[in-house]
Amino acid sequence: MTQPFSRKKTTRKPAKSNGFSAKAARKPQRPAKAASKPREVNNPVIVLFNKPFDVLCQFTDEQGRKTLKDFIPVPEVYAAGRLDRDSEGLLLLTNDGKLQAQITEPKKKTFKTYWVQVEGAPSEVDLNKLRKGVELKDGLTLPAKVSVMNSPSVWPRNPPIRERANIPTTWLTIEICEGRNRQVRRMTANIGFPTLRLIRYKIGQWSLDDLPNGQYRQLDMSGKNG
């Protein structure tokens, strides 16, 4: 019976070059792409906006909800950081990518100041927990600057907050340099005092001052009105 034809495999010796085998030689790897640098602009624009309650921090929305487009006609500016839909107050928009990165990058430690109305009357012992840092689901918060403040003279919220007649409310000023999702609300809830109303008053060197709710102000880079 004839055996099926089989081809004997020939072993090839690796070619040598400069004393190294071809097997050991590898194609040079392409260097990893460097992270893109923030976009620089020749004519930087800064817009301060007093965001109303129930407005999204974006310019489009498929569900037809209120967005920045309903209030700000300035082209090619984008929000530096975010402000929750149910929060109010200062939002900074710019076309300057470098400034945008500076405000949103945690390592830069740009402080933001919030006026926060909470349910109940937290004691100094309660507030000291925030000053030391509280443990949230995404980790320990950095120490916050916290103090009790008088009720600020601000615009009425529409709709108004829900207050319970037998429970007092307290206004706090809270200053943090982080930007976690709904961080301030989670911080006050952590110590047992839910946030009823949250207004961002200041971002770095910029503040609301006399800017009416729902209005914007365009600045030049020296901080003067545009």
Side-chain angles (χ1 to χ4, degrees), residues 60-79:
T60 59
D61 180 61
E62 295 179 354
Q63 300 180 37
R65 295 170 294 185
K66 286 185 179 180
T67 68
L68 302 178
K69 187 177 180 181
D70 296 305
F71 300 89
I72 303 172
V74 182
E76 297 183 358
V77 293
Y78 303 93

Side-chain angles (χ1 to χ4, degrees), residues 45-49 59 68 72 77-80 91-95:
V45 174
I46 295 176
V47 174
L48 303 182
F49 175 53
F59 281 90
L68 302 178
I72 303 172
V77 293
Y78 303 93
L91 185 68
L92 188 149
L93 301 96
T94 182
N95 63 344

Side-chain angles (χ1 to χ4, degrees), residues 10-16 21-23:
T10 58
T11 57
R12 296 183 180 179
K13 294 183 179 181
K16 294 184 178 181
S21 66
K23 186 177 180 180

